[in-house]
Amino acid sequence: KCTNYSTYMNSTKKYSNLLEKLGMTDEERSIYIALLDHPYMTISELSRETGYHRPSVYRAIASLESEGYIEKSLLEGKRYYYHVTSPLRLQEKLDELTHIAMRLIPEMEAVHQKHHSAPVFSMME
């Protein structure tokens, strides 16, 4: 059991690092990972699982939903349950960011070169 817990914690840390680099907040990362491990959770369950207050969970859920990382389902009466969409959506987001960077970085480099075209002298002590 200890090995499984250790493996789980290492995976969670790796996932959290990736999600952070994609711009997710602490709350968003915790909720995404919780839903990855336990799909179809309610706001109350997510609040208990992550330790975040319900208003924080609602904000994070709204952000994750707007990015297409999670979806909600009406499974029982008026109760909404949330679940992670395919993690391939993370790859799509990374591809979008790469495309934007590939377009803007050359433009930024041109601006940089324009302002730094004079020779730079350095003195070493």
Side-chain angles (χ1 to χ4, degrees):
K1 186 171 184 175
C2 187
T3 305
N4 290 340
Y5 179 76
S6 176
T7 302
Y8 168 78
M9 291 308 292
N10 287 338
S11 293
T12 299
K13 187 175 181 178
K14 286 189 291 190
Y15 299 160
S16 186
N17 287 338
L18 170 64
L19 299 174
E20 181 180 17
K21 287 179 181 11
L22 286 170
M24 287 189 194
T25 65
D26 290 340
E27 292 91 348
E28 292 166 352
R29 291 192 310 268
S30 295
I31 289 168
Y32 185 90
I33 291 169
L35 287 172
L36 188 62
D37 289 331
H38 309 289
Y40 298 102
M41 294 177 76
T42 64
I43 295 289
S44 296
E45 292 168 337
L46 284 166
S47 180
R48 276 192 302 276
E49 178 75 18
T50 61
Y52 291 110
H53 296 290
R54 289 170 57 102
S56 296
V57 173
Y58 276 110
R59 280 191 300 276
I61 286 288
S63 176
L64 290 167
E65 241 184 322
S66 72
E67 289 291 337
Y69 297 137
I70 66 169
E71 294 176 337
K72 70 179 169 185
S73 301
L74 184 63
L75 294 181
E76 209 180 86
K78 294 182 180 180
R79 288 181 77 159
Y80 286 107
Y81 291 83
Y82 295 87
H83 60 96
V84 170
T85 59
S86 172
L88 292 176
R89 175 64 187 123
L90 300 172
Q91 180 66 51
E92 291 170 7
K93 181 67 169 184
L94 184 58
D95 291 344
E96 289 171 20
L97 292 172
T98 300
H99 179 73
I100 292 168
M102 297 287 284
R103 186 171 34 90
L104 293 179
I105 289 175
E107 182 180 316
M108 293 167 71
E109 180 62 22
V111 171
H112 173 75
Q113 290 298 324
K114 184 172 97 177
H115 295 295
H116 294 86
S117 60
V120 176
F121 293 101
S122 298
M123 294 179 56
M124 313 259 312
E125 290 186 38

